[in-house]
Amino acid sequence: MPDLAIRCRGLVKRYPPAVTAVDGLDLEVARGECFGLLGPNGAGKTTTVEILEGLLAPSGGEVEVLGRRWGEDAAGLRERIGLTLQETHLYEKLTARELVQLFRALYRRGRDVDEVLRMVSLEEKASSWYERLSGGQKQRLAVAVALVGDPELLFLDEPTTGLDPQSRRQLWDVVTELKRRGKTVLLTTHYMDEAERLCDRVAIVDHGKVIALGTPRALVAAHVGQEIVEFQLDGAADGDEAAFAALPAVQAVRRVAGGWQLVTDQVHLAIPALLGSLTARGQAAVALSTHRATLEDVFVTLTGRRLRD
Amino acid sequence: MTERAATPPPGPAPAPDRASGEGPGALWLLTLARVRLFYREPSTLFWTFIFPVLLTVALGIAFRSRPPEPVAIGVVAGPGAAEARSALTGQPDVKVTVLDEAAARAALRTGRVAVVVVPGASPVLRFDPTRPESRLARVVADDLLERAAGRRDVLTPRQDTVTEAGSRYVDFLIPGLLGMNIMSTGLWGIGWVIAELRQKKLLKRLAATPMRRWHFLFSFAVVRLLFLAVEVPFLIGFGMLVFGTPFQGSALALALLALLGAAAFSGLGLLIASRASNQQTVGGLINLVLLPMMILSGVFFSSANFPDVMQPLVKALPLTALNEGMRAVLNDGASLAAVAPQCLLLLGTALVSFAVALRIFRWS
C-alpha cells in the first residue's frame, strides 16, 4: 500500500434542501506528490478541499489526511498541514513580516520568518502593511503564511486566480521549490496550463465527482490524442463530418463553436490530406491552426463544455 | 481503523531542532497584533479617547452652573397696574414688566414671563402649572401681593444656603459618559471587530491553524483590559482637573465596577457577533442593544424620570448598574459593599453572555 497523504472514499457534501456540492468523490494523493483538482467553477473543488482541511464536515464518506482522521486528532493534524483559502484576507494594518511572525507563533515548529518571506520574494515588502500590497503580493503572502508552519501537506485553493502573469510565475516557482523539497501539495485550479506545468497527477472534477484521473500526459493521450488541428470553413459552406473522419491519420472529428477540430497523432499527414480534400470539393479552410492537445481538450471531450463557460 | 489510529502518524519524525525556532508565544503575538491594529486605526483612538472628552466639554459648558434666574412677572396695563408694579418690585431676584393684554399673553406663552398679574380688587394670577418656573413665579407674586396688602408673617425662618459637591450636572454626567464609553468600546471593540474578521474569513483562516481558541479570545480580553486602564483614569482625571468633579469613594470599588462592566459588555459584544456572518447585521444588533441603554440607563439624565412600571426593566439593564455604581462611588463616596448589587448584576451578565457566546460561536 503506497504511503498516502490524502485518502478519501465516497465523499459527499449536501447543502439541504437541494444542493449536492460533492457527490461521492474518491481521491488518493501520495506523499511527495503535487496533485491538481481541476474543474469549472461550482464543480465542488473548494468544498472538497475544505473538507480535507477539516474546515467543513462531510455529509458522508471517509477522509484520512496524513493517515489520521479529523475526529481523532484535529490539533495534531493542524500542526502538519498548511493552506490558503480561495479568498484570503489578513489583518489590513499589520506588515507582511508581522503577519508571518504571528502565524509562525501559532505552530509549535516551523520555518524562519525571513526565510519564508524570501521564498515568496516578499523580503522587500516585509515592512509594508498588508493593505498596501498588490493582489499578487497578497496571494504570495497567503502562501508564506501557509508555509511558515513547515507543513508536510499544503493545500492551495486557486492560488493564481486573477493574478498577473508575473505573479503566477512567481507562485509556480514556489510550488516547484516545494515539490523539490518533497512536500505534498494539493492545488485546485481552473487553469489547465497551470495544472500541466505543476501537477504530477490531476483529477478532473465535474458536478462533485472525479470524471478523469491520471498524469496530465496520460489523460491527454487517453482522452484526446496528441495534436489538435482546428479550422473553419470559408463562407457558409458546411463540412462533411464523415469525409473528415475518413482522412488519413485523423482519429476523431469534433464540431466546435464556429468550426471543426481534428484529433491526430501525425499532423504532417493530416493537414495535407485535409487541404487536398477541401480543394477537391471547392472549399477552403481559414483560421487553420494546430496545437498540442491539452487538459482543456480533455475536459471538452469529456463534458462537451469548455472549462470557463 | 482502530489499529491505524493507535499507531503514530506516518511520516518524518518531528525535527530534533523543534524548539530552536520558537519565537514569542502565540498569546503574546495575538495580543500585540490587536494593540497594533488599535493604534494604527486613528478612528478607534478618536472614539475611545477623544470623543468622550469632547462630549464632556460640550455638555459641561452647556449645562454649567449659573446664578439663579430672576423670576419674570408680567403685569397687565390698566387700572391698578402701577400699584401692583410697586408692590412686586424691590426684590433683587424679581423682574417686573408692564404689558398690554395681548402682549402679556404672548409673553407668558413664549416663556418671557413666568406669571401674569391682572390687577384689580381681587387680582388674577395667570400661570402654566406644567412649568416649574411658572409655579414658582405664582408663589412669589402671590406672596409679594399679599404682603403689600398688609399680611403679617408669623414665622421668619433663618435661611441657610448650601451647594453640595457632586450635585452639579457635570458631576452627574461624567460617570454616565464613562459607563457609556465602557459599553460602546466593549460592544464595538469586540462585536464589530469579530464580525469583520468573520466576514473577511480571517477567523476561518486562523481556525485552520493549530491556534488555541482561548488564546484568540483571551487576546481580546487582555487588550480590552489594557485600554480600560487608560480610558477610565483618563476621563475621570479630565473631569477632576477641568470641572473639579469629585472622587469621594473607594478607588478599588470603582476599578472593580469598571472591570466588571467591561467584562459584561465584552461578553454581550461576543454574543452578538457569535454567529452572524455579516458585519452590517452585527452593527444593527449592537445599536439595538446600545441605544435603548443610552436612553434608559441614566447617561445624560436620571433614569428616575421613567415611570415606576418601567423601573424594574431599567434597573435590570447592565448599563444602569454600571452608571449607578460609579455615580455612588464618585459622587456619594459609596464603599465596595454598597455597590455589591451592581457588581453582581454585571458579573452575572458577563458570565451568562460569555457562556452562551462560546457555546454557539462560529469560526467560519
Side-chain angles (χ1 to χ4, degrees), chain A residues 19-49:
Chain A
V19 179
T20 302
V22 180
D23 190 11
L25 187 138
D26 301 330
L27 207 61
E28 288 190 349
V29 177
R31 279 178 186 273
E33 192 173 28
C34 180
F35 191 93
L37 277 183
L38 272 67
N41 288 329
K45 303 187 300 283
T46 294
T47 309
T48 302
V49 167

Side-chain angles (χ1 to χ4, degrees), chain A residues 1 3-4 7 31 50 53 55-56 62 64 66-69 72 75 78-85 87-95 98 101-111 129 142 145-147 152, chain B residues 1 4-15 17-26 29-30 32-34 36-37 40-42 196-197 199-202 204-213 216 220 364:
Chain A
M1 182 178 161
D3 194 6
L4 292 179
R7 195 179 76 91
R31 279 178 186 273
E50 291 194 349
E53 293 166 345
L55 293 173
L56 277 179
E62 280 177 35
E64 253 178 54
L66 299 171
R68 321 228 66 185
R69 291 167 182 232
E72 289 168 4
R78 298 219 173 282
E79 294 278 356
R80 299 166 63 201
I81 67 168
L83 57 95
T84 63
L85 298 174
E87 246 186 290
T88 306
H89 294 277
L90 299 172
Y91 293 108
E92 302 284 345
K93 288 197 160 54
L94 293 187
T95 67
E98 286 164 356
Q101 272 168 346
L102 174 63
F103 277 81
R104 170 64 191 87
L106 303 178
Y107 294 85
R108 274 209 292 273
R109 52 187 215 96
R111 285 172 190 281
W129 285 1
V145 152
L147 289 177
E152 295 164 46
Chain B
M1 241 37 261
R4 186 177 251 274
T7 59
D17 65 339
R18 188 179 173 109
S20 69
E22 293 262 334
L29 277 178
L30 283 165
L32 191 61
R34 292 249 56 89
R36 284 172 167 151
L37 292 166
R40 288 174 188 175
E41 190 69 71
E196 183 188 5
L197 296 183
Q199 189 166 349
K200 287 186 168 173
K201 302 204 171 146
L202 192 42
K204 187 177 186 175
R205 183 63 191 85
L206 288 170
T209 71
M211 179 184 75
R212 309 239 162 86
R213 310 288 161 102
F216 177 75
F220 277 83
S364 56

